[in-house]
Structure formats: structure tokens, C-alpha cells
Amino acid sequence: MKQLRPNDMMLQVSMRLITLIIFAFSFYLFLAGHNNPGGGFIGGLMTASAILVLYLAFDMKTITKAIPFNFTTMIGVGLLFAVFTGIASMLYGFPFLTQFFDYFQFPVFGEVELTTALPFDLGVYLVVVGAALTIILAIAEDDK
Amino acid sequence: MTALHWATISPFLLAILIPFLYKYVRRIHTGWFVLIVPLVLFIYFLSFLPVTANGDAVMRSVPWVPSLGISFDLYIDGLSLLFALLISGIGTLVVLYSVYYLSKHKEKLNNFYVYLLLFMGAMLGVVLSDNLIVLYVFWEITSISSALLISYWFHREKSTYGAQKSMYITVFGGLSMLGGFSLLYVMTGTFSVRVIIANVDLVATSSLFLPAMILILLGAFTKSAQFPFHIWLPDAMEAPTPVSAYLHSATMVKAGIYLVARVTPIFGGAAEWFWIISLVGLTTLIWGSISAVRQKDLKSILAFSTVSQLGMIMSLLGVGSVAYYFNDGDNALYTTAILAAVFHLINHATFKGSLFMTAGIIDHETGTRDIRKLGGLMTLMPITATVSLIGLAAMAGLPPFNGFLSKELFFTAMVNVTEYGIFSVETWGIVLPVLAWIASIFTFLYCAILFFKTFTGKFQPEKLAVKEVHEAPFGMLLSPIILGSLVVIFGLFPNILAYTLVEPAMAAILPGILEPGEQFYVNIYHWHGFILELWMTIGVIAIGTLLFLTMKKWSQSAFYRSEQDIFNHIYDSGYNGLIKGSQVLTRVQMTGMLRDYFLYMCTFIVLIIGYTMIRYDAFAINTDNLSPIDPYMWIVAILLVVSVVAVPFINNRITAIIVAGVAGFLVALIFTIFRAPDLALTQLLVETVSVILFMLVFYHLPDLRKEKIKPSFKLINLIVSIAVGVMITLVSLSAFALGSETNFTSIAAYFIENSKVLAGGYNIVNVILVDFRGLDTMLEILVLGIAALGVVSLIKLRLKGSEDV
Amino acid sequence: MEILMSIIIGIIFTVSVYLFLSRSIIRVVLGTLLLSHGVHLLLITMSELQRGAPPLLNLGAESYTDPLPQALVLTAIVIAFGVTSLLLVMVYRTYKEHETDDLEELRGSADE
């Protein structure tokens, strides 16, 4: 992505703001997934596009410094999340990937529903973000 | 899992450890570790002897695929115990021998012993399984491990040729056998040999009787190297000698014999069974013994002799099957053949095992197996010579060794045939003893050649590769000596086997003939008086000696000079023909052009779907119960069609991807109209990311050009693509019509009702993804992850330098 | 609506198959992109369209659209993305190695 001018002030400032909004929204989508449109796939894709926007506005190096994740590793971590949620239910004698939920009272938030589907969906989220960015960055970085 | 199951799979378990033992315990020859398994197994199986001697059997069962009635049933009766003892007993001796035969410094012992253990376990599985499918699986593992062992020295061209040949022939037979087993299942509804034998009437009255029999016999004949499938066995001699002694003389090639013996209660008593097995066996016997005379290589002679001996045992089983016809246990006239078969099976394993091992010793010490280069080894290798002499005398049928006893029984059985008075033996029956007698002459002849050409005559050190020839180390001699002693012991005291091994095995081959509590009368002895059999033996010795003495004269003839078996030519030309044919076929259709392949696929899909739909009269259009089209839907539809149709006509890569992107966003819009918010969001985001990706890649790619295609090609493309499109439209319409006409109840109701109750979520789509169908989602993200890794490896891991990609 | 959709799907399939059959490898990739749209629409059209509310229980509607095809298509979209990008990168690498996007020049060697 060398062809983009790296010093576009307007773009960069507005992008920072926009990215923040997209990030927040994507995280909301991810959490709301169980009861409203959203979930791991959608949240993940939106996060991926937020990070892509950042790459478009800034240059590769800056972003790599700002987001010090290895996206390929993220795929693995996500898969492990998903698998371990599944195995966890086996430890209690239920079939692989049985999910549970319950409602809890928290001081500030009031009644909150917690489900074991959430870590599973987090796994999905991480894999989607990791895979999308791995693919795009692999091509972008390849300037042979 | 019972102790018996663990015993059966113990060779496989040890095989897992072998590579580690080989790698980390280099100081000790890996063979010593391997030796433990067959030795322990041999002792373990000996403990079953009292059980089978009482006429009882042991059955242990573990379910495997219960829904198909397949379970891992192990069954020990006299027959399977006999084979299990052979496998573990000869196995012990062979492993011991191999420790000295294979150098731990030069050879890849890990490969060798893994294959050998694989074979040992599979062979035990074959003889102990009661379930035919389990038997089949083990059967094929023996074929595979045999091929692997033959190609152990895989850098030699002949080894790989032999391995391939044995594989093709035995696997062909194995598949036929599977077909036969399936037919048995069709007839009886079970895969258990026990149950099939109990319901043998179902088989006997079925029209599938003959096909099932022939298919199963194909399996047995290919495995036991029966004429004309015997050609793989001589080529299998490229394997290391311990392997030849073990697989290709004592155990694996006897699997076919085992199978025939095992299914004798099912098919025995039929004329076809009698004639096919007897004649194929005798043909093999005579063909093998004549071919053996022509060979110049020690192991080749032994290979053909194995072929002929297997034919002999096979023919005995065929002749013995008439016991079922008469169903008369007391009458030794009918059971002698089975007695001879079982007894000779044991004898053959002992003397042939020792002969292979001595041949290996000669090869090991002199560097050659060619009888034209050998000679005069008697004084140099006295122990080897003695053991060989014992083995060869037994094979030639000389007293007082065990081979003489079984040869006499063989003659008795064949002569008896003429007295049966069934299956038109009165006209053709005389052929059997005559063939048997002629073959025995040649057997005597090659035994004589083998001994005198190797051990007597002039020692020719100038023709040998090694400088000094001396006796083998004691460890190497131990196994052949043990086997040689057994030859003598069984020869002098045959009745120690009679009621421990032979009678139980006979009872297992011929169940249901004896009354409960009865036993077959087994008494094997040397002296019968001056009866026909003795005169036959004397004739064999006389003519055989005469032929050997006049060898100088006939050894110049073309018959003696050519070693090649005519069936090898048939195999080779058939094999080459197949390869050429498939190459021609491939060249015609595999053009290397994506367009052609895709045309095949599309045409095929259209034809097959079209045929099926017309065949079942499934095309339908339902105009009722349609959902209404909103006015704005028309706009979306028209825009979508326009953008999609425009894509092929655009010659600018950026425009093309933007137009395709527009189509994608319109699809997202359609999802909204169809009340699928999750889909719309996903589609929107995926399309965004995809467009960025396409932009990135297309930046590097050349611009699109106007296609230069022949008009006729263009027309075909157009026709095929329209055909596919029309077909899809029709299928879609028919699917909808089917849904509303037959009133399917969608399984969706379950998810709608239970989403809240069971999973505590309101978004049903998401609940399905993470909860009800969580496993699917997990595999899906796995696929996504693999795709990403694929991309990374495509981009980042490229070959360095000028290597071709 | 179902008939209209079926026709649209047919057109999408026609165009993508036509793209597959062309000589330029880039067009083939575009074809896969369009084909996945066609498949997704086909899957969702085969169930009945627009019967009831979106499958969100907190809407409190009486009937809902069939959620199962939607879950299926959602999965399909993501997989299609993965597959398309893999294919795209393969095309990219092929072009880099062989300097051509013409499938006739890219055909396998004669002895295969």
C-alpha cells in the first residue's frame, strides 16, 4: 500500500474517530449477537474492516506498531477458545459443545445473562478477524 | 477387550514402539525386542491346547460396527489354534534368525520389523476372526505388509516389481473375496462364520451359491499362489530370506488354505467345490514341481516348490470335502484327505521353513544363490548341509521324515478318490492319483538337484564374490536346527501331533459330522505293508533318481534352459496394456484446459439432474401461495440483473470488480427484504472486505482484454451456461413447488420454540450457529483458518531460486 | 417473488458459468464470486420467502421466517469468502510465476 500518501491529515484524523466508532459498534454487535442481529461472524468482520480502514489511512509500519497482534496466531487462539468451550461441557459429563446459560445480578448492570456460548462466539470472532486480516495483509505485504 | 483381543493386536502395539526403540536403543539389535511378542504369544496360545483337544472352542466378542452387525469376534477352535501356533511359533524362529541375518549397521531395521509385526498381527487376525468383514480387513493388511516386505530393498527394481505384482494379484483376489462374503451376507443375513455354518441350508439352496463360491475361491487361490495366480510367489523371493521363510512359505500363503478349510462346512459336498479345488490344486502341484526343476536360483526353486506343495494341500482339501457328501465320520476313506492336508500343513511349515533359512545362510555366506556357481559346500558348511538334507528328504517324501508320512497319506487320499463313486469319479477320478504321482517324481527330482548341486560336486571359489566360505554363526543356525529337529521328531513320533493338533483341526474343518463325544481316528504310522502307496513311492524314487542321473543329457534342452513362466508374459502384457490404455484414455480427455474440464462438469450436471427430474416427473411450477413482490423489489431485481450481466462485457479490471461489488451489495439488500438481518449485515461486510481484497490483487494483475475465442467455442459456452442457468431456475421452482404442495413441516419450528428455552437467546440464527449446530460452526471457522493459512503459505513460502512451480 | 427470484438466480448462474468458460483467469475468479451469490440466493429461496417476521424472538411476532436456511447461508457466505480469497491468491501467484493470465497458455504439460 505504498501508493497511498501517508501524510493525509484530514483522512488520518477523521479515520481515527471513525475507527473508534466502528470498533465500539463491532464490539456491541458481537455481544448483542445472542439476542439481536450480530454475533461472532458479523462482529469479527466489522472489526476486521475497522482495522483495514486504519491500514488505508496510515502506513503499514505505524499500524503494526499500534496493534501488536499476530493475526495468524489469532486464528489459532480463536480455534482453541471454541474447542475448549466444547470440551468444558464434556468435563461435566455432557456431550461435546453443550452450551449453558443463566442470569446473574450485577451491581451496575442489573440482571445480566451469561452464556457459555459467549466464549465460543469469541472464538468465532477471533478466527474471523484473524483470517480476514491475515489474507489481506499477506497480499498487501507482498510487493515482489 | 479381552485378553485374546489384546493378544491379537499386541504385534500392532509393539509396531508403534519399534521406530523409537530403533532410534534410541541403537546398541541392541531391534530384533531382540520383537522376539518377545511371538514367543509370548506362542506360549499363550499353547494354553488353549487342552481346550481344543476336548473339542471345545473359545469365543470372545467386542462390538465394532453394531449397526451393520460387524463385531470383532475372535474364535479359537482346532483350525485357528493350529494356525495361531504356526504364526507365533515360526514367527519366533524367523525373528531370531533375522537378528543374525540382517545387520544392525547396514539395514533399516525399523522398517523391517514394523512391517513384520504388522503382518504378524494381521495374520493372527485372519485366522482368529469369526466375522468375515474383520477377516477381510486383516486379510488385506497381510497383502499390504507382504508387499512392503517384498519391496524392503526398494532401490532394487526387481523388488518393487515383485511387490507390485503380489499386491495386484492378491488384492484382486481379496476384493473378489469381499464380493463373495457380501453374497454370503445376502443369503444368510450375517457375517459370522459360526452363524452361516449353522444356517448352511440357506446357502446351499440359494442361486447365489456358485457365484459366492467362485469369488471366495478366487481370494483363496490368489493368496495361496494357486495356478494360474502362482506367478507372484517366485517374484516375491526378492524379499529378505526371513520374510520368504515366514510369509511366503509358512504362513501368509497358507491363508488361502485356511480360508478354504474354514468355509468347507459351507460349500463342501458340492461337486463344483470338489472338482475346482482338486483340479486347481493338482494343476498347481504339477506345474509348480515341473517349474521348480527348471530354476537355477536356490530361492526360486524353493518358491516353485512352495507353489506345488500348496497345490498339494489345496487338492487334499478339495478331495476331503466329500466327507460332507457322505456325512460319515467313522469312515476313514473320506477323512484321510483332510487328515493328510492338516498334517502336511504342519510338516511343510517345518521343512520349508528350515530350507529357506539354510538357503538364506548359503546366500549370506557365499554371496550367491545360483546353483551353477555353487557346489562342494558339504565340507565347508556341514551343519547347514545336514539340516538341508533333512529338509529336502522330508520334502521328497523319504522315510523316516515327516514328509514321507504325509506323502503316503496324500497318495492314499488320491487313490481313495477312485472308490467314491460320486461326481463321475469313475471316469475321471483316475486322473487325480496319476497327476499326484507324476508331480511327486518332479518333486523328488528338484530336491535332488537342490541338494547335490549345492553341497556336492566341485567347490568353485572363483565364481563367488566372497573370498572365504565358512559355516554360519550359531545364532543363525539355531532356527533351522530347531525346525530340522522337528522334522525328525514329527517323522519318528507323528502321533504326538495326532490328538493335540491334527484331530482338533480336522474336527474344526468338518464340524457336524461327528456325533458329540466322538473323535476322528488319527493314527499315522510308517509301515502299511506292501500296498499301492508304497509301490508308488518306490516308483517315484526310482524314476526320480534315473532322471537326476541323466540330467546332463536333458539339461541342454530348451525346456530346461528357459526359466520363465508363460503366465508371466500374460501378466506383463496385460499390465502394460492397461497402462497404455489408460494413458490413451487420459490423453483424450485430460487436455489440461480448465474450460474443457468445466464443460464436462456442467454438461454432466445438467444431464444427470435433467434425467433424474424427468425420470421422476419432478419438474413443477407452483403459482399459488407466492409471496407478493413489492414495487421496490422490481428496481432491486433489475439493477442486480443488469450489474451481473454486465460483468462479462467489461474490459476494465477496476470497473469489473466495482460492478461485481454492486451486485454483492444488492444481494445484501435482498437479504434485508427477505427479513434476514444477520445475513444482510454479513453480506455487506464480506462484500466490503472482498472488494478491498480484489482491488489489492487486481492492482498487480494485467487488465482484462477482449476475449479472442473462436465463434463456435463462444456458441458452445453460451449454450452450456444458459443450459445450466435454466436447469437451476427449474430446480429452484420445483423445490419451491414441492415444498408448498407436500406441506413439509419445516424443522425450523423446533428452533423457534426452543431458542429461548434451551439456549437463552432471542436471535434464532445466532443461537443455531453457536448452540444447536455449534460443531458445524466450529468446523467452519476451521475451514476459514485453513484458507487463511493457505493464503499465507502461497504468498510467503515460495520456492527459492529457479525451481519450477 | 419466488418465481422472480428463481429467474434471477438462473441468470446469475448463467453469467458465472459463462465467466468460468472464458480464457482469462481473472474472469474465472469473478465467476466464482458471482456464483456464490447465486448459491446463497438459491438456498434462501428454496425455503418460503417473507413468511413472518425476522427470526428475532424479542419482536414478539406470531410467526417467524425460517431461521435454518439463514444460518446455513450465513455459514456459506463466510466460507465462500475464504474460498474466493484463496482462489484469488492462487490466481495472483500463478500470474506472478508465469506472467500470463491466459488459461490456454497455462495448460498442464503434455505428458500428464
Side-chain angles (χ1 to χ4, degrees):
Chain A
M1 290 193 194
K2 295 174 291 192
Q3 68 273 17
L4 291 172
R5 281 169 299 155
N7 290 325
D8 204 323
M9 269 302 276
M10 275 302 284
L11 185 71
Q12 287 188 358
V13 172
S14 56
M15 278 306 165
R16 268 178 210 170
L17 200 63
I18 291 171
T19 317
L20 194 69
I21 296 168
I22 305 181
F23 261 129
F25 186 58
S26 74
F27 202 63
Y28 164 75
L29 276 179
F30 163 62
L31 286 178
H34 218 48
N35 297 322
N36 287 302
F41 284 113
I42 296 169
L45 281 165
M46 193 159 271
T47 307
S49 33
I51 297 176
L52 278 181
V53 167
L54 280 181
Y55 275 110
L56 286 175
F58 298 88
D59 61 321
M60 212 89 175
K61 249 186 218 156
T62 325
I63 305 302
T64 320
K65 219 184 269 170
I67 311 172
F69 293 131
N70 183 341
F71 295 114
T72 321
T73 328
M74 206 181 231
I75 301 175
V77 174
L79 276 172
L80 284 179
F81 256 101
V83 172
F84 279 120
T85 351
I87 292 178
S89 64
M90 282 171 90
L91 293 181
Y92 292 94
F94 292 94
F96 185 58
L97 274 176
T98 314
Q99 313 282 22
F100 302 95
F101 69 98
D102 207 345
Y103 299 92
F104 297 93
Q105 292 293 338
F106 282 97
V108 185
F109 302 97
E111 195 186 63
V112 173
E113 183 196 4
L114 287 182
T115 69
T116 55
L118 193 71
F120 181 78
D121 221 12
L122 181 66
V124 175
Y125 173 88
L126 289 175
V127 172
V128 171
V129 174
L133 287 173
T134 304
I135 293 171
I136 292 191
L137 293 185
I139 300 174
E141 282 170 357
D142 187 56
D143 42 5
K144 184 189 162 188
Chain B
M1 295 289 275
T2 61
L4 188 54
H5 284 89
W6 286 114
T8 312
I9 61 167
S10 60
F12 294 119
L13 298 179
L14 181 63
I16 299 171
L17 295 178
I18 290 298
F20 301 103
L21 288 173
Y22 175 70
K23 192 162 177 206
Y24 296 110
V25 197
R26 285 307 289 262
R27 224 156 33 81
I28 305 170
H29 194 287
T30 318
W32 292 116
F33 299 109
V34 180
L35 188 61
I36 303 164
V37 167
L39 192 61
V40 172
L41 282 177
F42 185 70
I43 296 164
Y44 173 70
F45 285 123
L46 278 180
S47 71
F48 286 93
L49 269 181
V51 180
T52 55
N54 282 334
D56 295 330
V58 178
M59 176 92 170
R60 296 275 184 274
S61 188
V62 168
W64 183 25
V65 193
S67 54
L68 293 176
I70 299 171
S71 53
F72 188 8
D73 294 342
L74 295 181
Y75 182 82
I76 292 197
D77 60 1
L79 182 64
S80 32
L81 185 65
L82 168 64
F83 271 91
L85 285 173
L86 271 183
I87 294 158
S88 50
I90 306 275
T92 310
L93 297 175
V94 162
V95 172
L96 176 66
Y97 177 77
S98 72
V99 169
Y100 292 93
Y101 189 82
L102 294 170
S103 154
K104 73 173 169 186
H105 303 296
K106 289 182 205 148
E107 305 287 354
K108 288 207 167 295
L109 294 175
N110 49 346
N111 292 357
F112 181 79
Y113 285 113
V114 167
Y115 300 158
L116 199 73
L117 285 168
L118 208 61
F119 166 76
M120 198 184 285
M123 194 65 208
L124 280 175
V126 167
V127 299
L128 295 178
S129 299
D130 178 57
N131 190 291
L132 288 174
I133 294 297
V134 180
L135 189 152
Y136 169 76
V137 171
F138 282 122
W139 183 279
E140 294 294 34
I141 300 177
T142 63
S143 296
I144 293 165
S145 51
S146 157
L148 286 170
L149 283 166
I150 296 170
S151 60
Y152 172 65
W153 286 309
F154 53 83
H155 44 86
R156 297 186 192 166
E157 204 175 312
K158 280 175 97 177
S159 295
T160 48
Y161 172 79
Q164 215 178 20
K165 195 168 177 180
S166 77
M167 186 87 171
Y168 285 141
I169 295 178
T170 53
V171 169
F172 156 74
L175 288 173
S176 315
M177 190 180 80
L178 181 63
F181 289 169
S182 314
L183 290 182
L184 278 180
Y185 181 79
V186 169
M187 290 185 267
T188 60
T190 176
F191 282 119
S192 162
V193 181
R194 295 299 99 212
V195 184
I196 294 176
I197 291 176
N199 298 308
V200 74
D201 295 341
L202 288 175
V203 183
T205 52
S206 170
S207 59
L208 294 172
F209 179 80
L210 200 59
M213 181 178 112
I214 290 172
L215 285 173
I216 290 177
L217 281 181
L218 272 177
F221 287 168
T222 48
K223 199 73 162 184
S224 281
Q226 297 296 296
F227 181 89
F229 306 112
H230 62 277
I231 46 171
W232 69 265
L233 192 56
D235 283 305
M237 291 301 131
E238 292 301 325
T241 304
V243 173
S244 310
Y246 190 34
L247 273 72
H248 304 126
S249 81
T251 56
M252 187 185 86
V253 287
K254 296 215 171 92
I257 309 252
Y258 168 80
L259 185 71
V260 169
R262 190 43 98 203
V263 298
T264 294
I266 302 174
F267 297 107
E272 294 91 348
W273 181 261
F274 171 84
W275 279 114
I276 293 176
I277 298 183
S278 311
L279 285 182
V280 167
L282 281 174
T283 316
T284 312
L285 168 62
I286 199 157
W287 189 276
S289 55
I290 293 176
S291 303
V293 171
R294 294 157 48 172
Q295 302 304 311
K296 302 346 176 249
D297 180 296
L298 283 181
K299 275 179 84 177
S300 292
I301 300 178
L302 289 175
F304 275 108
S305 103
T306 306
V307 168
S308 87
Q309 301 281 319
L310 289 169
M312 172 173 155
I313 302 175
M314 195 61 97
S315 67
L316 281 168
L317 286 176
V319 169
S321 70
V322 293
Y324 269 98
Y325 185 87
F326 294 107
N327 211 355
D328 187 354
D330 296 335
N331 202 331
L333 189 64
Y334 312 125
T335 51
T336 311
I338 300 290
L339 167 64
V342 174
F343 189 47
H344 193 67
L345 188 81
I346 304 170
N347 295 342
H348 180 246
T350 54
F351 66 68
K352 191 53 69 66
S354 72
L355 284 175
F356 265 112
M357 287 177 185
T358 50
I361 289 173
I362 293 165
D363 185 17
H364 203 260
E365 300 301 324
T366 64
T368 182
R369 300 193 306 245
D370 192 329
I371 52 170
R372 285 165 297 195
K373 293 181 186 166
L374 292 167
L377 294 177
M378 178 106 81
T379 48
L380 293 163
M381 308 170 83
I383 304 174
T384 312
T386 316
V387 174
S388 301
L389 182 62
I390 294 171
L392 288 167
M395 185 152 76
L398 299 179
F401 304 108
N402 57 8
F404 169 73
L405 298 168
S406 44
K407 178 76 54 112
E408 292 280 281
L409 283 169
F410 170 58
F411 284 151
T412 313
M414 288 299 157
V415 172
N416 282 351
V417 170
T418 50
E419 300 171 24
Y420 285 174
I422 51 158
F423 305 150
S424 52
V425 281
E426 58 282 1
T427 40
W428 294 103
I430 191 71
V431 176
L432 302 183
V434 170
L435 280 178
W437 186 69
I438 297 174
S440 298
I441 296 173
F442 284 104
T443 307
F444 182 88
L445 181 59
Y446 68 70
C447 289
I449 293 175
L450 201 58
F451 182 77
F452 291 108
K453 293 282 170 191
T454 313
F455 293 106
T456 64
K458 218 173 118 253
F459 179 53
Q460 307 163 337
E462 69 281 359
K463 288 188 184 170
L464 301 179
V466 288
K467 288 215 174 73
E468 212 176 316
V469 177
H470 48 73
E471 187 59 278
F474 178 70
M476 205 165 174
L477 285 166
L478 190 59
S479 293
I481 288 175
I482 292 173
L483 285 171
S485 324
L486 286 178
V487 171
V488 180
I489 292 169
F490 292 161
L492 295 177
F493 313 105
N495 289 321
I496 56 170
L497 292 174
Y499 287 98
T500 48
L501 277 176
V502 177
E503 198 280 333
M506 284 173 72
I509 299 173
L510 303 171
I513 285 188
L514 295 174
E515 300 292 319
E518 263 189 331
Q519 276 191 320
F520 287 107
Y521 174 68
V522 180
N523 191 8
I524 309 163
Y525 46 95
H526 279 89
W527 182 250
H528 305 257
F530 285 101
I531 53 169
L532 182 60
E533 290 88 324
L534 188 65
W535 290 117
M536 283 167 85
T537 304
I538 292 171
V540 165
I541 296 172
I543 301 179
T545 314
L546 196 67
L547 276 175
F548 179 69
L549 292 176
T550 54
M551 194 176 162
K552 273 227 167 68
K553 285 183 189 152
W554 52 261
S555 65
Q556 300 304 316
S557 67
F559 159 77
Y560 182 71
R561 285 181 156 188
S562 87
E563 294 179 28
Q564 270 300 327
D565 200 312
I566 182 159
F567 289 96
N568 274 328
H569 297 298
I570 298 174
Y571 167 83
D572 287 337
S573 53
Y575 176 71
N576 291 333
L578 269 179
I579 288 183
K580 285 219 181 75
S582 64
Q583 274 172 347
V584 169
L585 199 66
T586 311
R587 244 179 251 130
V588 170
Q589 40 114 7
M590 301 302 265
T591 53
M593 306 245 297
L594 191 62
R595 175 178 175 272
D596 290 346
Y597 300 154
F598 207 74
L599 273 181
Y600 301 151
M601 285 192 242
C602 288
T603 320
F604 188 73
I605 289 170
V606 168
L607 289 179
I608 202 89
I609 295 181
Y611 170 75
T612 318
M613 298 289 274
I614 292 168
R615 167 88 172 65
Y616 295 100
D617 198 21
F619 283 121
I621 295 183
N622 177 34
T623 46
D624 312 324
N625 198 21
L626 295 172
S627 69
I629 305 174
D630 303 311
Y632 55 82
M633 182 63 201
W634 284 110
I635 304 171
V636 176
I638 291 167
L639 276 175
L640 181 59
V641 169
V642 167
S643 59
V644 167
V645 172
V647 172
F649 298 100
I650 297 170
N651 287 328
N652 179 304
R653 55 193 174 170
I654 300 298
T655 323
I657 185 59
I658 288 174
V659 172
V662 167
F665 289 119
L666 286 169
V667 170
L669 200 56
I670 291 180
F671 285 144
T672 332
I673 298 171
F674 289 167
R675 296 167 197 171
D678 286 277
L679 287 191
L681 268 172
T682 316
Q683 175 67 28
L684 210 62
L685 289 164
V686 162
E687 204 56 39
T688 316
V689 179
S690 295
V691 168
I692 296 178
L693 188 67
F694 270 77
M695 288 287 195
L696 270 174
V697 173
F698 278 26
Y699 171 77
H700 294 280
L701 292 181
D703 216 341
L704 292 161
R705 291 175 305 276
K706 212 167 156 9
E707 299 258 291
K708 286 189 215 97
I709 309 179
K710 273 188 268 174
S712 61
F713 272 35
K714 216 168 198 165
L715 191 66
I716 294 172
N717 291 357
L718 203 61
I719 292 171
V720 169
S721 38
I722 288 175
V724 172
V726 170
M727 185 58 67
I728 294 293
T729 304
L730 289 175
V731 167
S732 167
L733 285 173
S734 312
F736 173 68
L738 187 75
S740 50
E741 276 166 20
T742 50
N743 285 324
F744 277 130
T745 34
S746 167
I747 53 170
Y750 171 82
F751 297 114
I752 294 172
E753 277 163 24
N754 290 311
S755 175
K756 178 79 187 72
V757 191
L758 289 181
Y762 290 95
N763 181 355
I764 309 173
V765 173
N766 185 267
V767 167
I768 292 177
L769 284 177
V770 298
D771 206 321
F772 291 125
R773 309 293 311 170
L775 190 65
D776 297 354
T777 310
M778 200 174 86
L779 295 178
E780 182 207 347
I781 54 177
L782 185 66
V783 170
L784 196 65
I786 291 171
L789 293 183
V791 168
V792 172
S793 44
L794 271 172
I795 298 279
K796 301 217 162 143
L797 312 172
R798 45 182 55 158
L799 296 173
K800 298 278 183 299
S802 60
E803 284 166 84
D804 194 15
V805 180
Chain C
M1 183 75 98
E2 282 83 358
I3 295 178
L4 175 68
M5 281 315 294
S6 297
I7 293 168
I8 293 177
I9 293 162
I11 293 171
I12 296 179
F13 268 81
T14 309
V15 171
S16 42
V17 170
Y18 188 80
L19 284 169
F20 275 138
L21 294 172
S22 57
R23 275 176 70 169
S24 160
I25 198 165
I26 298 173
R27 286 205 163 90
V28 174
V29 181
L30 285 173
T32 58
L33 189 66
L34 290 183
L35 190 73
S36 60
H37 294 332
V39 172
H40 301 153
L41 288 176
L42 179 64
L43 280 174
I44 205 140
T45 308
M46 279 205 203
S47 72
E48 294 169 334
L49 292 173
Q50 294 180 311
R51 305 293 196 290
L56 297 168
L57 288 173
N58 42 14
L59 295 177
E62 281 199 358
S63 67
Y64 295 98
T65 319
D66 196 339
L68 200 59
Q70 295 197 9
L72 193 64
V73 172
L74 202 148
T75 316
I77 293 175
V78 179
I79 296 265
F81 168 70
V83 171
T84 312
S85 34
L86 187 65
L87 199 68
L88 192 65
V89 172
M90 259 157 80
V91 167
Y92 166 73
R93 283 279 288 139
T94 313
Y95 178 73
K96 286 270 154 168
E97 293 298 328
H98 298 282
E99 301 282 314
T100 175
D101 69 324
D102 190 334
L103 281 169
E104 297 212 357
E105 292 171 33
L106 284 171
R107 59 187 288 185
S109 50
D111 56 313
E112 285 294 340

